[in-house]
Amino acid sequence: MTCACVALSGCVRDPESEICPAVGEGDLAVTEMRRSDDPAGTWIEVFNPGSSVDLEGMVVRLLSIDEATDLRMLVRRSVPLAAGDYVVLGDFDARSRPDHADYGFGADFDHEAPPSGAVTLLACGTQIDRVV
């Protein structure tokens, strides 16, 4: 009887370091949110009252009132936000992103936004803003 052994090995690399936008608590504000029943789709508007920042690495969390739905979207590319300006983050993919949206998180968003709950902006685990 012949026995053949095959060693399997995977490619192992160190994880990429987390990208942390240079913002702290209260530096950005969620100013508006629309759900998928809105003709413009599901989107969140964020205002920057302070200095310019790049939102890459920011996490948007949608939590339903009963906490049964907990959705998290990661801003995966550079999204500059100038001082005194607004940005719209929406449930769109790159091909279908409408003119009113600056960034589409459609790849991260596979559920409908809860009808009521909280929107939280997070940067490296720090809560930047929360609206219920």
Side-chain angles (χ1 to χ4, degrees), residues 22-37:
V23 292
E25 186 175 349
D27 287 350
L28 301 173
V30 174
T31 51
E32 194 170 350
M33 180 186 175
R34 299 295 174 141
R35 285 182 13 98
S36 58
D37 54 357

Side-chain angles (χ1 to χ4, degrees), residues 21-23 27-31 44-56 58 75 77-89 102-103 121 128:
V23 292
D27 287 350
L28 301 173
V30 174
T31 51
I44 297 156
E45 181 184 75
V46 177
F47 176 64
N48 178 11
S51 57
S52 296
V53 65
D54 192 322
L55 299 184
E56 184 175 15
M58 179 75 59
V75 177
R77 67 168 173 77
S78 178
V79 179
L81 180 54
D85 210 353
Y86 295 83
V87 69
V88 173
L89 312 170
D102 300 289
Y103 178 81
L121 298 178
I128 306 306

Side-chain angles (χ1 to χ4, degrees), residues 33 35-37 62-66 69 112-118:
M33 180 186 175
R35 285 182 13 98
S36 58
D37 54 357
L62 303 177
L63 182 65
S64 61
I65 291 291
D66 62 5
T69 303
E112 187 171 315
S116 61

